[in-house]
Amino acid sequence: MPLLFHDSLLPPGEWGLWSITESEDWLRGQCKLFPREEDQLLYIKGEERRREFLAARQLLHVMSGRRERAELVKDEDGKPHLPDSKFFVSISHTVGYSAAVAHPQPCGIDVQRIVPRIVKLAPKFVGAGERKQLTEKEELEQLHLIWAAKEAMYKAYGRRQLDFKRNLFVELGETATGRLRRGAVGMDFELAYKIYPTFVLVAAVQCGLRPR
């Protein structure tokens, strides 16, 4: 398994990234699915997407250190969790890569391929304060970091109906942070990120809470 990294994240949290080079048959042989997961896989069209589905779950299992894999269950809003774990979990995948994070605090993760068209989409998710942080030389990567950070915070929140421009805010830098504001709801996040030649990876962990 080409595990690119598996590191601690705001201990006792962990995050990891997997480069998917294995066949679907190999992944199915390694990742023993539960009946509900088998049903989900049946509805996924395209071998690449099925490999991403399998790889993300296998990565989460490898990170857990358990002998037996636990089922990844999704709630009514689509937020995944492990029924017998005190850790929150989140997964993400893009073409060729799967990522996962686990932490006692609400968390989310997102991996995004770097594509030029994000520049045209930026006005839909980048606020005025975030626009001031952009530099001409690094704008493309920074826009992807902002988008991925907001996706990660959205996953940590775990509910629908968030406006990425009006409800989510990102402060980039060596120590990156994020905020979610929606009515009476307020969540603050510590952000961790990695920039690769063709994609970016961002994890968000809510701060200021006691572990469950």
Side-chain angles (χ1 to χ4, degrees), residues 6 14 58-69 82:
H6 172 204
E14 302 175 58
Q58 181 63 12
L59 170 60
L60 195 60
H61 171 57
V62 171
M63 288 170 52
S64 75
R66 300 180 179 187
R67 290 188 60 186
E68 299 293 331
R69 180 180 171 268
L82 301 174

Side-chain angles (χ1 to χ4, degrees), residues 1-9 13-19 55-56 59-60 62-64 90-93 97-102 109-111 194 196 199 201-203:
M1 182 185 76
L3 187 66
L4 294 185
F5 78 85
H6 172 204
D7 294 335
S8 63
L9 176 67
E14 302 175 58
W15 64 332
L17 180 68
W18 185 354
S19 174
L59 170 60
L60 195 60
V62 171
M63 288 170 52
S64 75
S90 178
I91 58 174
S92 179
H93 40 74
Y97 298 94
S98 285
V101 63
I109 196 165
D110 193 61
V111 55
K194 292 178 180 286
Y196 293 87
F199 64 95
L201 175 69
V202 181

Side-chain angles (χ1 to χ4, degrees), residues 17-155:
L17 180 68
W18 185 354
S19 174
I20 310 169
T21 59
E22 298 83 358
S23 68
E24 181 180 348
D25 288 342
W26 187 92
L27 288 166
R28 286 185 66 90
Q30 294 292 312
C31 186
K32 306 300 183 183
L33 298 180
F34 289 78
R36 283 182 292 190
E37 293 173 318
E38 289 281 7
D39 291 341
Q40 293 171 35
L41 191 62
L42 287 174
Y43 287 96
I44 299 177
K45 297 181 179 180
E47 181 182 352
E48 186 66 32
R49 297 290 292 176
R50 291 193 298 271
R51 289 168 65 220
E52 292 169 4
F53 176 96
L54 292 163
R57 283 154 179 79
Q58 181 63 12
L59 170 60
L60 195 60
H61 171 57
V62 171
M63 288 170 52
S64 75
R66 300 180 179 187
R67 290 188 60 186
E68 299 293 331
R69 180 180 171 268
E71 180 180 11
L72 188 65
V73 180
K74 292 187 178 182
D75 65 19
E76 60 185 13
D77 289 308
K79 185 175 182 178
H81 65 276
L82 301 174
D84 60 345
S85 174
K86 293 183 179 181
F87 277 50
F88 293 90
V89 298
S90 178
I91 58 174
S92 179
H93 40 74
T94 188
V95 178
Y97 298 94
S98 285
V101 63
H103 202 280
Q105 312 287 19
C107 58
I109 196 165
D110 193 61
V111 55
Q112 288 285 334
R113 283 192 304 149
I114 296 175
V115 292
R117 65 188 178 91
I118 198 172
V119 176
K120 293 184 178 180
L121 299 174
K124 296 182 179 181
F125 68 89
V126 177
E130 293 155 344
R131 175 62 64 180
K132 293 178 181 179
Q133 302 175 49
L134 302 179
T135 62
E136 182 177 355
K137 182 178 180 181
E138 301 175 326
E139 180 180 10
L140 189 61
E141 289 81 6
Q142 289 169 331
L143 288 175
H144 283 84
L145 287 176
I146 292 170
W147 174 259
K150 293 189 176 187
E151 281 280 3
M153 290 189 286
Y154 173 78
K155 292 178 180 180

